[in-house]
Amino acid sequence: MAQLTESVADLIEQLAKLPGVGRKSAERMAYHVLRVHKSEALALADAIRNVRENVRYCSVCFNLAESDLCTVCTDARRDGSVLCVVEQPRDVMALEQAGVFRGLYHVLLGRIAPLDGIGPDQLTIDQLVERVRQGEIREVVMATNPTVEGDGTALHISNLLSELPVEITRLARGITTGSILEYTNKEILADALSGRQKF
Ligand SMILES: [Zn+2]
């Protein structure tokens, strides 16, 4: 390690914290950053800075947004009577790419995971119930991941909503149990949405 300058060592250490990046890959990336044109390297630094300074959660649905509301919530053509509940903003992206859902979303920002110490209070479940309580939503589509925790989260929410005049559905099980929404291909996601069933 004696031959690394402090800055290079620091960059490698930061890169190695990224998911799926081991020490060797981090070293390769660091040397790549040193090799490319300075403007290219600084564009990466700017992109990281911009995303952290400009991107926040939509104040209504908790999708990623660059102003108070996300692009889905500001789109007047969306059907405000159907709400799709997902775990993460990247699930919104996957469903949007499937291109069949025309309603609005609610992003939980996680799932109930007792073993990891994540309870309902740490998610946006209260805000979801409040949205449904306002009465414009007639269907809530549960699109949490088909994992034990995702299913448990959907069940918890459907119990909370059971008193309200809203239909609760879930994605059809074309999605293999245990698979993660964001990795499911578009066609299967589209089928799962159009074939959704009563919860
Ligand atoms: Zn939104």
Side-chain angles (χ1 to χ4, degrees):
M1 280 300 136
Q3 72 275 30
L4 286 181
T5 74
E6 200 183 328
S7 303
V8 175
D10 186 37
L11 178 58
I12 293 171
E13 194 185 319
Q14 296 304 322
L15 290 168
K17 291 179 186 167
L18 296 172
V21 178
R23 172 101 204 155
K24 277 273 161 251
S25 305
E27 284 175 13
R28 267 200 301 277
M29 288 180 197
Y31 289 117
H32 174 80
V33 164
L34 286 166
R35 224 173 18 241
V36 296
H37 197 275
K38 187 174 174 186
S39 63
E40 194 179 323
L42 293 181
L44 172 64
D46 286 347
I48 293 173
R49 187 178 301 279
N50 286 342
V51 84
R52 287 315 303 252
E53 283 177 355
N54 300 335
V55 177
R56 59 185 111 164
Y57 294 121
C58 172
S59 65
V60 171
C61 77
F62 300 91
N63 186 16
L64 297 179
E66 297 219 6
S67 53
D68 186 42
L69 295 177
C70 73
T71 53
V72 177
C73 286
T74 49
D75 184 348
R77 292 163 303 177
R78 308 289 300 213
D79 178 0
S81 70
V82 191
L83 200 61
C84 184
V85 176
V86 296
E87 294 179 22
Q88 299 291 350
R90 57 182 186 258
D91 299 328
V92 172
M93 207 110 72
L95 287 161
E96 284 299 287
Q97 277 161 7
V100 286
F101 184 66
R102 301 304 304 155
L104 300 177
Y105 293 95
H106 192 88
V107 182
L108 298 169
L109 300 179
R111 72 266 179 277
I112 300 171
L115 294 178
D116 299 329
I118 301 169
D121 296 351
Q122 281 142 280
L123 308 178
T124 63
I125 294 176
D126 287 349
Q127 291 91 330
L128 169 61
V129 173
E130 192 45 47
R131 278 180 89 180
V132 176
R133 227 184 264 287
Q134 285 166 10
E136 280 179 29
I137 295 153
R138 59 171 178 76
E139 180 185 353
V140 174
V141 186
M142 292 295 171
T144 49
N145 281 303
T147 58
V148 173
E149 290 169 345
D151 284 345
T153 305
L155 186 63
H156 176 83
I157 292 170
S158 72
N159 287 338
L160 289 178
L161 297 179
S162 63
E163 305 290 294
L164 298 169
V166 67
E167 185 179 15
I168 302 169
T169 57
R170 72 195 322 173
L171 293 184
R173 292 292 156 131
I175 301 175
T176 327
T177 299
S179 76
I180 301 298
L181 222 61
E182 63 175 309
Y183 302 125
T184 304
N185 80 39
K186 280 189 218 173
E187 289 72 27
I188 293 176
L189 262 185
D191 284 350
L193 254 173
S194 47
R196 60 189 186 261
Q197 339 169 312
K198 262 193 171 313
F199 193 84

